[in-house]
Amino acid sequence: MSALDTLKLNDLLNSCTYPGRGIVVGTTPDGENAVFAYFIMGRSDNSRNRVFEEKAGGEIITAPFDESKVEDPSLIIYSPVKVWGDTTIVTNGDQTDTIYDYMKEGKTFEEALETRLFEPDAPNFTPRISAALKVDGGKYTYKMSILKSADRDGSDCMRYTYSYPSLAGIGNFIHTYMKDGSPLPSFEGEPERVATDNDIDSFTNDIWNSLNADNKISLYVRYIRIADGTYESRLINKFVK
């Protein structure tokens, strides 16, 4: 299969019991909206004890569903989405804050991630996945990144960054794991090329309904109008406070 073949996102999700955390970024088929989706899954009680919450300024945070059951908040409580100027940052960890802080100083997405490693959760060494969507003056481009362990011992880090133009109807999907396992096998290869949808509700429901019912936790989807930067969003939590 060629890297330029466009896949169905729901087929990819249905065929993978545990993709972990995932980011999809792209453009609607009509070319009018920048699209991103971020989902989280969990196998342990600690990682399942979460919900997404919306904050002012376009920020999304993960928060405990039941604060009395939190065991280790360090890798599960963070801001997966923040906005700095014309750039929306989406990540699977606290590197969101690193990217945001670097951009405030006039530095780049890549410079920020040069300071970070994969997650310190041996033996999985979960990859850090990140994206930055830049919508400015009716123009839109995006970048995606993955930071992965160079070996089974976590001795060093490999960093990959991908830059994409806006192509109508096309998105790219990156996730932390290839499948379930022990240890969990990290994502391999380039972000997968997937089809998008003009309808935010259809796109959201397709993703949510395709994620493994036992392991899915939360999903956030945002459509950003390229012409003016306004947006609409959808948020689904498995557990509702």
Side-chain angles (χ1 to χ4, degrees):
M1 181 175 291
S2 166
L4 296 180
D5 289 338
T6 303
L7 308 173
K8 292 182 178 180
L9 184 55
N10 56 348
D11 287 345
L12 291 172
L13 293 173
N14 281 320
S15 66
C16 182
T17 55
Y18 198 67
R21 284 163 278 172
I23 300 172
V24 185
V25 185
T27 308
T28 51
D30 59 17
E32 293 185 359
N33 292 284
V35 174
F36 78 82
Y38 177 64
F39 65 78
I40 59 173
M41 306 180 79
R43 299 188 305 174
S44 68
D45 289 341
N46 188 50
S47 63
R48 289 178 175 178
N49 183 34
R50 290 182 287 175
V51 294
F52 284 168
E53 294 181 356
E54 292 188 89
K55 298 294 183 181
E59 181 179 4
I60 303 299
I61 65 168
T62 61
F65 171 66
D66 184 342
E67 293 189 6
S68 69
K69 295 182 178 179
V70 175
E71 299 170 13
D72 178 8
S74 63
L75 293 177
I76 66 168
I77 305 301
Y78 56 93
S79 296
V81 180
K82 280 190 170 183
V83 178
W84 171 249
D86 54 23
T87 301
T88 302
I89 305 158
V90 189
T91 90
N92 72 326
D94 64 10
Q95 72 268 28
T96 307
D97 295 328
T98 306
I99 298 167
Y100 181 86
D101 290 342
Y102 267 61
M103 286 185 171
K104 283 177 67 176
E105 296 175 0
K107 298 179 182 179
T108 66
F109 180 72
E110 292 88 348
E111 286 176 308
L113 291 170
E114 280 290 333
T115 70
R116 301 305 305 267
L117 304 173
F118 46 84
E119 294 183 358
D121 60 341
N124 296 316
F125 300 116
T126 297
R128 290 191 187 271
I129 55 174
S130 309
L133 297 76
K134 184 178 179 64
V135 177
D136 179 24
K139 297 180 179 179
Y140 163 51
T141 57
Y142 59 97
K143 295 182 178 182
M144 304 184 83
S145 165
I146 184 168
L147 311 182
K148 298 173 56 176
S149 177
D151 54 35
R152 290 188 175 91
D153 300 319
S155 64
D156 213 331
C157 184
M158 300 184 294
R159 297 176 174 86
Y160 302 91
T161 302
Y162 304 89
S163 298
Y164 296 100
S166 173
L167 298 176
I170 301 298
N172 294 91
F173 175 38
I174 194 167
H175 42 100
T176 51
Y177 311 123
M178 294 301 292
K179 59 181 179 180
D180 207 341
S182 184
L184 287 158
S186 294
F187 181 85
E188 297 176 357
E190 296 179 16
E192 295 156 317
R193 184 180 172 109
V194 296
T196 60
D197 194 319
N198 284 326
D199 187 280
I200 188 172
D201 291 309
S202 175
F203 191 63
T204 301
N205 291 332
D206 275 353
I207 295 174
W208 185 250
N209 292 333
S210 300
L211 291 168
N212 180 273
D214 292 330
N215 296 322
K216 64 184 178 183
I217 303 300
S218 297
L219 168 66
Y220 183 80
V221 177
R222 184 177 295 178
Y223 277 34
I224 307 169
R225 187 166 176 80
I226 296 171
D228 59 16
T230 58
Y231 67 84
E232 62 176 321
S233 61
R234 301 291 185 269
L235 187 156
I236 301 177
N237 287 315
K238 185 174 184 178
F239 306 113
V240 180
K241 288 189 174 183

PDB file of all heavy atoms in Angstrom, residues 59-61 77-82 89 91 93-104 112 115-116:
ATOM      1  N   GLU A  59      -8.583  26.244  25.201  1.00  0.00           N
ATOM      2  CA  GLU A  59      -7.815  25.208  25.890  1.00  0.00           C
ATOM      3  C   GLU A  59      -8.709  24.041  26.298  1.00  0.00           C
ATOM      4  O   GLU A  59      -9.858  24.216  26.699  1.00  0.00           O
ATOM      5  CB  GLU A  59      -7.136  25.778  27.131  1.00  0.00           C
ATOM      6  CG  GLU A  59      -6.284  24.757  27.888  1.00  0.00           C
ATOM      7  CD  GLU A  59      -5.590  25.334  29.117  1.00  0.00           C
ATOM      8  OE1 GLU A  59      -5.848  26.529  29.427  1.00  0.00           O
ATOM      9  OE2 GLU A  59      -4.819  24.612  29.759  1.00  0.00           O
ATOM     10  N   ILE A  60      -8.151  22.828  26.215  1.00  0.00           N
ATOM     11  CA  ILE A  60      -8.796  21.617  26.725  1.00  0.00           C
ATOM     12  C   ILE A  60      -7.867  21.023  27.773  1.00  0.00           C
ATOM     13  O   ILE A  60      -6.644  21.026  27.612  1.00  0.00           O
ATOM     14  CB  ILE A  60      -9.029  20.592  25.600  1.00  0.00           C
ATOM     15  CG1 ILE A  60      -9.863  21.199  24.479  1.00  0.00           C
ATOM     16  CG2 ILE A  60      -9.696  19.328  26.145  1.00  0.00           C
ATOM     17  CD1 ILE A  60     -11.238  21.667  24.886  1.00  0.00           C
ATOM     18  N   ILE A  61      -8.423  20.521  28.863  1.00  0.00           N
ATOM     19  CA  ILE A  61      -7.617  19.842  29.870  1.00  0.00           C
ATOM     20  C   ILE A  61      -8.181  18.450  30.125  1.00  0.00           C
ATOM     21  O   ILE A  61      -9.359  18.177  29.853  1.00  0.00           O
ATOM     22  CB  ILE A  61      -7.574  20.624  31.191  1.00  0.00           C
ATOM     23  CG1 ILE A  61      -8.978  20.697  31.846  1.00  0.00           C
ATOM     24  CG2 ILE A  61      -6.998  22.014  30.991  1.00  0.00           C
ATOM     25  CD1 ILE A  61      -8.953  21.188  33.284  1.00  0.00           C
ATOM     26  N   ILE A  77      -2.755  13.839  33.665  1.00  0.00           N
ATOM     27  CA  ILE A  77      -3.408  15.136  33.812  1.00  0.00           C
ATOM     28  C   ILE A  77      -2.553  16.190  33.121  1.00  0.00           C
ATOM     29  O   ILE A  77      -1.415  16.452  33.513  1.00  0.00           O
ATOM     30  CB  ILE A  77      -3.613  15.499  35.301  1.00  0.00           C
ATOM     31  CG1 ILE A  77      -4.378  14.384  36.031  1.00  0.00           C
ATOM     32  CG2 ILE A  77      -4.325  16.834  35.415  1.00  0.00           C
ATOM     33  CD1 ILE A  77      -5.749  14.068  35.456  1.00  0.00           C
ATOM     34  N   TYR A  78      -3.100  16.799  32.073  1.00  0.00           N
ATOM     35  CA  TYR A  78      -2.347  17.770  31.273  1.00  0.00           C
ATOM     36  C   TYR A  78      -3.321  18.529  30.388  1.00  0.00           C
ATOM     37  O   TYR A  78      -4.534  18.255  30.402  1.00  0.00           O
ATOM     38  CB  TYR A  78      -1.288  17.056  30.414  1.00  0.00           C
ATOM     39  CG  TYR A  78      -1.852  15.984  29.510  1.00  0.00           C
ATOM     40  CD1 TYR A  78      -2.222  16.261  28.199  1.00  0.00           C
ATOM     41  CD2 TYR A  78      -2.039  14.686  29.976  1.00  0.00           C
ATOM     42  CE1 TYR A  78      -2.770  15.290  27.372  1.00  0.00           C
ATOM     43  CE2 TYR A  78      -2.584  13.704  29.168  1.00  0.00           C
ATOM     44  CZ  TYR A  78      -2.947  14.010  27.865  1.00  0.00           C
ATOM     45  OH  TYR A  78      -3.494  13.046  27.062  1.00  0.00           O
ATOM     46  N   SER A  79      -2.807  19.470  29.597  1.00  0.00           N
ATOM     47  CA  SER A  79      -3.625  20.205  28.628  1.00  0.00           C
ATOM     48  C   SER A  79      -3.321  19.655  27.231  1.00  0.00           C
ATOM     49  O   SER A  79      -2.274  19.987  26.669  1.00  0.00           O
ATOM     50  CB  SER A  79      -3.312  21.704  28.666  1.00  0.00           C
ATOM     51  OG  SER A  79      -3.641  22.256  29.910  1.00  0.00           O
ATOM     52  N   PRO A  80      -4.189  18.856  26.656  1.00  0.00           N
ATOM     53  CA  PRO A  80      -3.914  18.356  25.308  1.00  0.00           C
ATOM     54  C   PRO A  80      -4.058  19.402  24.219  1.00  0.00           C
ATOM     55  O   PRO A  80      -3.509  19.241  23.123  1.00  0.00           O
ATOM     56  CB  PRO A  80      -4.927  17.229  25.123  1.00  0.00           C
ATOM     57  CG  PRO A  80      -6.020  17.528  26.070  1.00  0.00           C
ATOM     58  CD  PRO A  80      -5.390  18.229  27.233  1.00  0.00           C
ATOM     59  N   VAL A  81      -4.792  20.491  24.491  1.00  0.00           N
ATOM     60  CA  VAL A  81      -5.013  21.526  23.476  1.00  0.00           C
ATOM     61  C   VAL A  81      -4.801  22.908  24.083  1.00  0.00           C
ATOM     62  O   VAL A  81      -5.353  23.223  25.135  1.00  0.00           O
ATOM     63  CB  VAL A  81      -6.446  21.448  22.889  1.00  0.00           C
ATOM     64  CG1 VAL A  81      -6.656  22.544  21.841  1.00  0.00           C
ATOM     65  CG2 VAL A  81      -6.732  20.073  22.300  1.00  0.00           C
ATOM     66  N   LYS A  82      -3.979  23.722  23.400  1.00  0.00           N
ATOM     67  CA  LYS A  82      -3.817  25.136  23.727  1.00  0.00           C
ATOM     68  C   LYS A  82      -3.687  25.917  22.432  1.00  0.00           C
ATOM     69  O   LYS A  82      -3.291  25.358  21.399  1.00  0.00           O
ATOM     70  CB  LYS A  82      -2.568  25.375  24.593  1.00  0.00           C
ATOM     71  CG  LYS A  82      -2.753  25.068  26.065  1.00  0.00           C
ATOM     72  CD  LYS A  82      -1.559  25.569  26.882  1.00  0.00           C
ATOM     73  CE  LYS A  82      -1.832  25.490  28.364  1.00  0.00           C
ATOM     74  NZ  LYS A  82      -0.708  26.040  29.167  1.00  0.00           N
ATOM     75  N   ILE A  89      -2.259  24.034  19.248  1.00  0.00           N
ATOM     76  CA  ILE A  89      -1.332  22.973  19.635  1.00  0.00           C
ATOM     77  C   ILE A  89      -2.133  21.807  20.190  1.00  0.00           C
ATOM     78  O   ILE A  89      -3.017  21.989  21.031  1.00  0.00           O
ATOM     79  CB  ILE A  89      -0.353  23.480  20.704  1.00  0.00           C
ATOM     80  CG1 ILE A  89       0.382  24.734  20.213  1.00  0.00           C
ATOM     81  CG2 ILE A  89       0.628  22.386  21.116  1.00  0.00           C
ATOM     82  CD1 ILE A  89       0.949  25.576  21.347  1.00  0.00           C
ATOM     83  N   THR A  91      -1.458  17.813  21.732  1.00  0.00           N
ATOM     84  CA  THR A  91      -0.485  16.782  22.069  1.00  0.00           C
ATOM     85  C   THR A  91      -1.080  15.774  23.053  1.00  0.00           C
ATOM     86  O   THR A  91      -2.155  15.988  23.602  1.00  0.00           O
ATOM     87  CB  THR A  91       0.804  17.354  22.705  1.00  0.00           C
ATOM     88  OG1 THR A  91       0.680  17.421  24.138  1.00  0.00           O
ATOM     89  CG2 THR A  91       1.159  18.742  22.174  1.00  0.00           C
ATOM     90  N   GLY A  93       0.455  15.006  25.929  1.00  0.00           N
ATOM     91  CA  GLY A  93       1.095  15.144  27.230  1.00  0.00           C
ATOM     92  C   GLY A  93       1.433  16.581  27.561  1.00  0.00           C
ATOM     93  O   GLY A  93       0.988  17.519  26.889  1.00  0.00           O
ATOM     94  N   ASP A  94       2.270  16.755  28.591  1.00  0.00           N
ATOM     95  CA  ASP A  94       2.577  18.112  29.027  1.00  0.00           C
ATOM     96  C   ASP A  94       3.543  18.841  28.097  1.00  0.00           C
ATOM     97  O   ASP A  94       3.903  19.997  28.354  1.00  0.00           O
ATOM     98  CB  ASP A  94       3.087  18.123  30.464  1.00  0.00           C
ATOM     99  CG  ASP A  94       4.406  17.384  30.657  1.00  0.00           C
ATOM    100  OD1 ASP A  94       5.052  17.000  29.664  1.00  0.00           O
ATOM    101  OD2 ASP A  94       4.798  17.190  31.826  1.00  0.00           O
ATOM    102  N   GLN A  95       3.934  18.194  26.987  1.00  0.00           N
ATOM    103  CA  GLN A  95       4.710  18.928  25.976  1.00  0.00           C
ATOM    104  C   GLN A  95       3.879  20.017  25.308  1.00  0.00           C
ATOM    105  O   GLN A  95       4.430  20.907  24.658  1.00  0.00           O
ATOM    106  CB  GLN A  95       5.316  17.989  24.927  1.00  0.00           C
ATOM    107  CG  GLN A  95       4.349  17.364  23.943  1.00  0.00           C
ATOM    108  CD  GLN A  95       3.823  16.018  24.395  1.00  0.00           C
ATOM    109  OE1 GLN A  95       3.740  15.739  25.588  1.00  0.00           O
ATOM    110  NE2 GLN A  95       3.481  15.167  23.444  1.00  0.00           N
ATOM    111  N   THR A  96       2.556  19.971  25.477  1.00  0.00           N
ATOM    112  CA  THR A  96       1.718  21.092  25.037  1.00  0.00           C
ATOM    113  C   THR A  96       2.237  22.395  25.632  1.00  0.00           C
ATOM    114  O   THR A  96       2.380  23.403  24.936  1.00  0.00           O
ATOM    115  CB  THR A  96       0.251  20.898  25.477  1.00  0.00           C
ATOM    116  OG1 THR A  96      -0.219  19.638  25.048  1.00  0.00           O
ATOM    117  CG2 THR A  96      -0.639  21.992  24.907  1.00  0.00           C
ATOM    118  N   ASP A  97       2.529  22.365  26.922  1.00  0.00           N
ATOM    119  CA  ASP A  97       3.005  23.567  27.610  1.00  0.00           C
ATOM    120  C   ASP A  97       4.379  23.985  27.099  1.00  0.00           C
ATOM    121  O   ASP A  97       4.659  25.184  26.973  1.00  0.00           O
ATOM    122  CB  ASP A  97       3.056  23.325  29.120  1.00  0.00           C
ATOM    123  CG  ASP A  97       1.682  23.085  29.716  1.00  0.00           C
ATOM    124  OD1 ASP A  97       0.708  23.652  29.201  1.00  0.00           O
ATOM    125  OD2 ASP A  97       1.584  22.327  30.692  1.00  0.00           O
ATOM    126  N   THR A  98       5.234  23.002  26.809  1.00  0.00           N
ATOM    127  CA  THR A  98       6.565  23.319  26.285  1.00  0.00           C
ATOM    128  C   THR A  98       6.456  24.035  24.947  1.00  0.00           C
ATOM    129  O   THR A  98       7.104  25.064  24.714  1.00  0.00           O
ATOM    130  CB  THR A  98       7.393  22.037  26.122  1.00  0.00           C
ATOM    131  OG1 THR A  98       7.430  21.321  27.357  1.00  0.00           O
ATOM    132  CG2 THR A  98       8.810  22.360  25.675  1.00  0.00           C
ATOM    133  N   ILE A  99       5.639  23.488  24.047  1.00  0.00           N
ATOM    134  CA  ILE A  99       5.465  24.101  22.726  1.00  0.00           C
ATOM    135  C   ILE A  99       4.868  25.499  22.862  1.00  0.00           C
ATOM    136  O   ILE A  99       5.319  26.454  22.224  1.00  0.00           O
ATOM    137  CB  ILE A  99       4.578  23.203  21.836  1.00  0.00           C
ATOM    138  CG1 ILE A  99       5.246  21.849  21.613  1.00  0.00           C
ATOM    139  CG2 ILE A  99       4.300  23.886  20.492  1.00  0.00           C
ATOM    140  CD1 ILE A  99       4.324  20.797  21.017  1.00  0.00           C
ATOM    141  N   TYR A 100       3.852  25.627  23.695  1.00  0.00           N
ATOM    142  CA  TYR A 100       3.196  26.917  23.926  1.00  0.00           C
ATOM    143  C   TYR A 100       4.199  27.952  24.441  1.00  0.00           C
ATOM    144  O   TYR A 100       4.265  29.082  23.927  1.00  0.00           O
ATOM    145  CB  TYR A 100       2.058  26.708  24.931  1.00  0.00           C
ATOM    146  CG  TYR A 100       1.263  27.942  25.273  1.00  0.00           C
ATOM    147  CD1 TYR A 100       0.181  28.338  24.490  1.00  0.00           C
ATOM    148  CD2 TYR A 100       1.579  28.703  26.400  1.00  0.00           C
ATOM    149  CE1 TYR A 100      -0.566  29.461  24.814  1.00  0.00           C
ATOM    150  CE2 TYR A 100       0.840  29.825  26.729  1.00  0.00           C
ATOM    151  CZ  TYR A 100      -0.237  30.200  25.940  1.00  0.00           C
ATOM    152  OH  TYR A 100      -0.956  31.315  26.272  1.00  0.00           O
ATOM    153  N   ASP A 101       4.989  27.571  25.432  1.00  0.00           N
ATOM    154  CA  ASP A 101       5.956  28.509  26.023  1.00  0.00           C
ATOM    155  C   ASP A 101       7.021  28.916  25.003  1.00  0.00           C
ATOM    156  O   ASP A 101       7.428  30.087  24.957  1.00  0.00           O
ATOM    157  CB  ASP A 101       6.612  27.888  27.247  1.00  0.00           C
ATOM    158  CG  ASP A 101       5.650  27.749  28.423  1.00  0.00           C
ATOM    159  OD1 ASP A 101       4.606  28.425  28.418  1.00  0.00           O
ATOM    160  OD2 ASP A 101       5.935  26.946  29.339  1.00  0.00           O
ATOM    161  N   TYR A 102       7.482  27.969  24.208  1.00  0.00           N
ATOM    162  CA  TYR A 102       8.491  28.290  23.184  1.00  0.00           C
ATOM    163  C   TYR A 102       7.915  29.225  22.127  1.00  0.00           C
ATOM    164  O   TYR A 102       8.593  30.163  21.673  1.00  0.00           O
ATOM    165  CB  TYR A 102       9.025  27.008  22.538  1.00  0.00           C
ATOM    166  CG  TYR A 102      10.272  26.482  23.203  1.00  0.00           C
ATOM    167  CD1 TYR A 102      10.256  26.096  24.540  1.00  0.00           C
ATOM    168  CD2 TYR A 102      11.469  26.368  22.510  1.00  0.00           C
ATOM    169  CE1 TYR A 102      11.394  25.614  25.166  1.00  0.00           C
ATOM    170  CE2 TYR A 102      12.617  25.889  23.121  1.00  0.00           C
ATOM    171  CZ  TYR A 102      12.570  25.514  24.451  1.00  0.00           C
ATOM    172  OH  TYR A 102      13.709  25.050  25.065  1.00  0.00           O
ATOM    173  N   MET A 103       6.671  28.977  21.704  1.00  0.00           N
ATOM    174  CA  MET A 103       6.054  29.844  20.701  1.00  0.00           C
ATOM    175  C   MET A 103       5.866  31.263  21.247  1.00  0.00           C
ATOM    176  O   MET A 103       6.004  32.244  20.509  1.00  0.00           O
ATOM    177  CB  MET A 103       4.735  29.250  20.236  1.00  0.00           C
ATOM    178  CG  MET A 103       4.916  28.047  19.324  1.00  0.00           C
ATOM    179  SD  MET A 103       3.358  27.429  18.653  1.00  0.00           S
ATOM    180  CE  MET A 103       3.980  26.231  17.467  1.00  0.00           C
ATOM    181  N   LYS A 104       5.556  31.388  22.521  1.00  0.00           N
ATOM    182  CA  LYS A 104       5.438  32.709  23.133  1.00  0.00           C
ATOM    183  C   LYS A 104       6.758  33.480  23.044  1.00  0.00           C
ATOM    184  O   LYS A 104       6.766  34.707  22.981  1.00  0.00           O
ATOM    185  CB  LYS A 104       5.025  32.575  24.602  1.00  0.00           C
ATOM    186  CG  LYS A 104       3.551  32.258  24.806  1.00  0.00           C
ATOM    187  CD  LYS A 104       3.224  32.070  26.274  1.00  0.00           C
ATOM    188  CE  LYS A 104       3.379  33.355  27.065  1.00  0.00           C
ATOM    189  NZ  LYS A 104       2.969  33.179  28.485  1.00  0.00           N
ATOM    190  N   ALA A 112      11.021  23.416  20.431  1.00  0.00           N
ATOM    191  CA  ALA A 112      10.398  23.003  21.687  1.00  0.00           C
ATOM    192  C   ALA A 112      10.565  21.510  21.915  1.00  0.00           C
ATOM    193  O   ALA A 112      10.940  21.054  23.005  1.00  0.00           O
ATOM    194  CB  ALA A 112       8.918  23.382  21.691  1.00  0.00           C
ATOM    195  N   THR A 115      13.691  19.590  23.217  1.00  0.00           N
ATOM    196  CA  THR A 115      13.972  19.563  24.651  1.00  0.00           C
ATOM    197  C   THR A 115      13.241  18.432  25.375  1.00  0.00           C
ATOM    198  O   THR A 115      13.428  18.258  26.580  1.00  0.00           O
ATOM    199  CB  THR A 115      13.568  20.894  25.314  1.00  0.00           C
ATOM    200  OG1 THR A 115      12.134  21.010  25.329  1.00  0.00           O
ATOM    201  CG2 THR A 115      14.165  22.079  24.570  1.00  0.00           C
ATOM    202  N   ARG A 116      12.407  17.680  24.657  1.00  0.00           N
ATOM    203  CA  ARG A 116      11.579  16.664  25.287  1.00  0.00           C
ATOM    204  C   ARG A 116      11.945  15.259  24.819  1.00  0.00           C
ATOM    205  O   ARG A 116      12.534  15.065  23.758  1.00  0.00           O
ATOM    206  CB  ARG A 116      10.095  16.926  24.999  1.00  0.00           C
ATOM    207  CG  ARG A 116       9.573  18.274  25.477  1.00  0.00           C
ATOM    208  CD  ARG A 116       9.814  18.508  26.978  1.00  0.00           C
ATOM    209  NE  ARG A 116       9.265  17.461  27.803  1.00  0.00           N
ATOM    210  CZ  ARG A 116       8.048  17.486  28.359  1.00  0.00           C
ATOM    211  NH1 ARG A 116       7.253  18.538  28.166  1.00  0.00           N
ATOM    212  NH2 ARG A 116       7.636  16.501  29.132  1.00  0.00           N
TER     213      ARG A 116
END
